[in-house]
Amino acid sequence: MTIEQMKMPQLGESVTEGTISKWLVKPGDSVNKYEAIAEVMTDKVNAEIPSSFTGVIKELKAAEDETLAVGEVICSIEVEGSETQANETIHSEDKNEETTQVVAGDVSISKARYSPAVLKISQENGIDLHQVKGTGKEGRITRKDLLKLIESGNIPKAAERKSASNQPSVSVPELKQGSLQTTQAPAIHTAVGDIEIPVNGVRKAIAANMQKSKHEIPHAWMMVEVDATNLVRYRESIKQEFKQKEGYNLTYFAFFVKAIAQSLKEFPEINSMWAGDKIVQKKDINISIAVATDTALFVPVIKHADEKTIKGIAREITELAQKVRSGKITSDEMQGGTFTVNNTGSFGSIQSMGIINHPQAAILQVESIVKRPVIIDGMIAVRDMVNLCLSLDHRILDGLVSGRFLARVKEIIETTTPENTTIY
């Protein structure tokens, strides 16, 4: 029999880790290939992990609520195969792990077994792994061990053991610009009546992705004021008939998404991503929309939004939002986004600055439509006004193209009338 290792899969773009929310199997259970073995949470999706093999579960290497990096082993499974092959496989794995060279602080660590997550955290925090006692199998150091040390503030540094060690020191290569730092949580005094809320896997993943975006992307911000009076009048005149005919609401947001998709087609520079030594201008216009639940934020994607009608976009917004809030959204429906639109106006916001959905180039906040007095031809009039707020990656975009893009969205919204706007 051969022992195979099941690893944490990548469940979405820019997803680097996942949290085991529930095991669906236990050691000794027989499973078939593609049968679900665990439920996993990330910042983008809740999903089931299918087995890559048919066999018997030997060991669960992660506990429920434990977060593991993509590629880290989550369980082992015994599958059919010769004993010789099994021994060769295990020996090869052990040899590869034991010859891993890692620099933590200023000490070279070798002949040890460390997961990618453990290596990353130790390097970013200067933790001397020689001084850490692991709680994993056979004394293996786990991610949880390091996080507990960081939280306690008692981090064993390499400098603390220099005098007692005859090993030559090795300088630490600097972290690449944009590397996500794992920062020590500040000590906060709690008083009677304070409520401590544990940070779950989804919230941790959201925090990590937002921190990565702010660390790596030089954000710039701009806003335009849009007169949406014609849009408001048009929608009010058809919304009841549309609801009766289609069975779902014709929202303002659908008009904005359509206008943005059309503008992205005209200004493809906005529909781009930073790739280090090059900028990738995406052909497809796939708009990520922010959908919030009581505890998390998800970004499902409207694929090929420029090819859809306002009715089609309205239907897709409704369906995706329902799937998110019922926990039925799939990994595929969360991937492939090229530009994000956030309907901040749904909760009354009139001005905000969004954090870009890494690795996209921009995010646009559609604020609340409010009645305001404005001057038209020297006269004061009450109009339905809305702010469109754009956060942009200044490595990719500058003010000129971003301003032209916003001006085009503004023009489309302000000329939304029955004569030049079709719903179907």
Side-chain angles (χ1 to χ4, degrees), residues 244-418:
Q244 291 174 357
K245 182 178 179 180
E246 306 298 339
Y248 52 89
N249 290 325
L250 178 62
T251 63
Y252 289 121
F253 193 49
F255 287 89
F256 283 102
V257 170
K258 178 61 179 177
I260 291 163
Q262 181 178 333
S263 301
L264 286 171
K265 196 170 185 67
E266 297 174 25
F267 294 91
E269 303 95 327
I270 309 292
N271 201 50
S272 298
M273 296 180 181
W274 181 263
D277 60 346
K278 60 188 174 184
I279 294 171
V280 178
Q281 195 171 104
K282 304 297 287 184
K283 175 179 178 293
D284 294 335
I285 295 175
N286 299 333
I287 294 186
S288 305
I289 59 172
V291 179
T293 66
D294 290 339
T295 58
L297 181 69
F298 295 82
V299 278
V301 179
I302 300 174
K303 307 284 177 66
H304 307 288
D306 58 313
E307 300 174 4
K308 291 180 166 65
T309 63
I310 293 174
K311 174 214 166 183
I313 291 172
R315 182 184 67 243
E316 202 154 340
I317 290 171
T318 300
E319 291 175 351
L320 290 172
Q322 289 174 347
K323 286 182 178 181
V324 165
R325 288 164 185 151
S326 64
K328 295 180 180 178
I329 195 76
T330 66
S331 177
D332 182 63
E333 290 169 318
M334 304 282 283
Q335 297 185 32
T338 60
F339 183 92
T340 298
V341 184
N342 193 3
N343 188 20
T344 45
S346 63
F347 46 84
S349 171
I350 58 169
Q351 184 172 308
S352 60
M353 186 180 78
I355 298 177
I356 296 168
N357 185 13
H358 188 280
Q360 297 172 12
I363 180 172
L364 193 146
Q365 316 272 97
V366 178
E367 306 292 350
S368 182
I369 299 175
V370 296
K371 290 189 179 295
R372 293 207 307 268
V374 298
I375 297 176
I376 300 177
D377 296 329
M379 301 180 64
I380 297 176
V382 176
R383 308 289 288 181
D384 293 292
M385 305 298 294
V386 59
N387 295 326
L388 301 181
C389 304
L390 182 73
S391 296
L392 57 109
D393 184 340
H394 223 327
R395 299 171 302 180
I396 304 173
L397 306 172
D398 55 32
L400 180 62
V401 68
S402 300
R404 288 174 174 171
F405 165 74
L406 281 177
R408 180 58 177 140
V409 178
K410 172 185 171 79
E411 179 184 23
I412 294 171
I413 295 299
E414 290 186 340
T415 57
T416 298
T417 61

Side-chain angles (χ1 to χ4, degrees), residues 72-86:
E72 230 180 319
V73 175
I74 61 171
C75 72
S76 59
I77 181 171
E78 188 176 61
V79 300
E80 290 185 2
S82 70
E83 187 174 345
T84 302
Q85 289 175 327

